[in-house]
């Protein structure tokens, strides 16, 4: 009887490799930019997962570099600010920015309030025009071509009443209602020269008395002509007492009307013949 003899197993054996040739598909053409141990390329991007992981790692590195750069820049700016204004320059810069923003907002709010109060606000005029147009379309207000009733028409206010400055408006009303100026001569009858009042204005209507001095408008030479101006108050006529010297040149003469402390209230312009 014959028996088959078997070979004893080897003490050292090598497992067969998973592949016996190079990887030649398209993924082998792309590798990451990393290099290990002096090799020419990084990890091959054989699959989509490898590409995603490589992109994420690259994004992390870019973000980390940008954060480091911003940190260094902020540190240099803080050091420069500390050298300029002392410690805590970052807090001081924030406080200064806050004050600047608040001042800008307050200036804008002040302009808005003043513009609205004076009635010249563009937004207010636009809103009024839109309201009028909407009311006309819906029939809630008068149409643009409608004529007001003769008895119910409202008189149009004068430019003085629409003036935004009440003090100036009051002065203008007083100037428009200047009383009549009467000329009183102090010369002898044969020495009285005709005096014609060209125009005159004064910013008060109460009782007032002052001395004025007329100067020639054309020549501006020679002594002035002294006169006394008296206002009786109300709508009463004003009186100008004047002596017309024979040596005074003819033409226009003008004087300033001032109060006792020197504030000019108006003027008088006369023509001397």
């Amino acid at each position: 009887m014959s028996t088959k003899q078997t070979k004893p197993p080897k003490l050292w054996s090598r497992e067969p490799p998973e592949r016996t040739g190079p990887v030649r598909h398209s993924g082998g053409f792309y590798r990451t930019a990393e290099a290990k141990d002096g090799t020419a390329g990084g990890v091959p991007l054989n699959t989509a997962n490898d590409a995603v992981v490589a992109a994420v790692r690259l994004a992390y590195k870019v973000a980390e570099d940008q954060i480091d750069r911003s940190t260094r820049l902020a540190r240099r700016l803080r050091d420069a600010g500390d050298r300029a204004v002392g410690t805590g320059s970052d807090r001081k810069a924030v406080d200064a920015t806050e004050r600047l923003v608040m001042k800008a907002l307050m200036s804008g709010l002040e302009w808005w309030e003043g513009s609205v109060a004076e009635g010249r606000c563009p937004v207010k005029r636009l809103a009024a025009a839109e309201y009028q147009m909407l009311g006309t379309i819906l029939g809630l207000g008068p149409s643009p071509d409608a004529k007001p009733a003769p008895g119910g028409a409202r008189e149009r206010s004068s430019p003085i009443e629409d003036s935004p400055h009440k003090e100036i408006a009051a002065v203008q009303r007083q100037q428009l209602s200047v009383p009549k100026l009467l000329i009183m001569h102090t010369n002898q009858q044969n020495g009285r020269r005709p005096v014609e009042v060209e125009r005159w204005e004064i910013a008060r209507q109460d009782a007032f008395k002052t001395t004025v001095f007329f100067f020639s408008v054309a020549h501006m030479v020679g002594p002035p002509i002294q006169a006394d101006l008296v206002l009786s108050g109300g709508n009463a006529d004003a009186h100008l007492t004047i002596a017309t010297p024979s040596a005074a040149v003819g033409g226009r003469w003008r004087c300033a009307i001032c109060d006792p402390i020197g504030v000019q209230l108006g003027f008088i312009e006369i023509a001397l013949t």
Side-chain angles (χ1 to χ4, degrees):
M1 181 176 179
S2 64
T3 59
K4 187 178 180 180
Q5 295 180 359
T6 59
K7 294 181 179 181
K10 296 181 179 181
L11 296 178
W12 306 100
S13 63
R14 181 179 180 182
E15 297 181 358
E18 295 181 358
R19 60 182 177 86
T20 58
V23 179
R24 299 186 183 277
H25 50 76
S26 59
F29 291 100
Y30 301 97
R31 290 176 176 270
T32 60
E34 301 173 351
K36 293 183 179 180
D37 301 331
T39 58
V43 179
L45 305 178
N46 295 325
T47 62
N49 294 335
D50 295 338
V52 171
V53 172
V56 171
R57 294 181 61 186
L58 180 61
Y60 278 143
K61 290 184 179 181
V62 173
E64 185 178 0
D65 293 341
Q66 294 297 328
I67 292 174
D68 293 340
R69 183 178 301 177
S70 301
T71 304
R72 291 194 300 270
L73 179 60
R75 187 182 299 110
R76 289 197 296 267
L77 291 176
R78 185 174 63 251
D79 294 341
D82 292 342
R83 289 193 300 269
V85 299
T87 58
S89 59
D90 50 350
R91 293 190 297 271
K92 294 179 181 178
V94 173
D95 295 340
T97 304
E98 182 181 1
R99 289 194 298 269
L100 179 62
V101 172
M102 290 301 298
K103 287 183 179 179
L105 291 177
M106 294 302 296
S107 299
L109 182 60
E110 183 179 358
W111 172 85
W112 177 270
E113 292 179 351
S115 180
V116 172
E118 294 178 0
R120 297 181 292 105
C121 179
V123 179
K124 186 176 180 181
R125 295 198 299 268
L126 177 61
E130 291 181 351
Y131 175 78
Q132 183 178 2
M133 179 183 67
L134 183 60
T136 303
I137 294 174
L138 299 178
L140 302 177
S143 59
D145 54 352
K147 297 182 179 180
R154 180 179 178 270
E155 296 183 358
R156 186 177 182 273
S157 59
S158 63
I160 296 178
E161 298 296 337
D162 297 336
S163 176
H165 304 285
K166 297 181 179 179
E167 294 81 3
I168 299 178
V171 172
Q172 292 176 348
R173 284 195 298 268
Q174 292 176 358
Q175 291 176 352
L176 291 178
S177 59
V178 169
K180 184 179 179 181
L181 182 61
L182 301 180
I183 304 299
M184 299 181 63
H185 293 270
T186 58
N187 304 59
Q188 298 293 332
Q189 186 172 1
N190 56 358
R192 298 171 184 172
R193 300 177 58 180
V195 176
E196 181 181 358
V197 179
E198 295 287 341
R199 57 174 180 160
W200 81 293
E201 295 180 0
I202 188 169
R204 61 186 300 171
Q205 291 182 333
D206 55 343
F208 180 69
K209 181 179 181 181
T210 185
T211 300
V212 296
F213 296 90
F214 287 90
F215 295 88
S216 176
V217 177
H219 299 83
M220 297 299 293
V221 294
I225 300 177
Q226 182 177 347
D228 294 328
L229 177 64
V230 178
L231 274 73
S232 302
N235 297 324
D237 296 335
H239 298 271
L240 181 66
T241 303
I242 185 173
T244 55
S246 58
V249 296
R252 291 188 302 160
W253 291 68
R254 187 179 299 167
C255 74
I257 306 174
C258 302
D259 62 2
I261 63 175
V263 178
Q264 182 171 339
L265 304 176
F267 68 94
I268 305 174
E269 185 175 325
I270 62 175
L272 186 63
T273 59

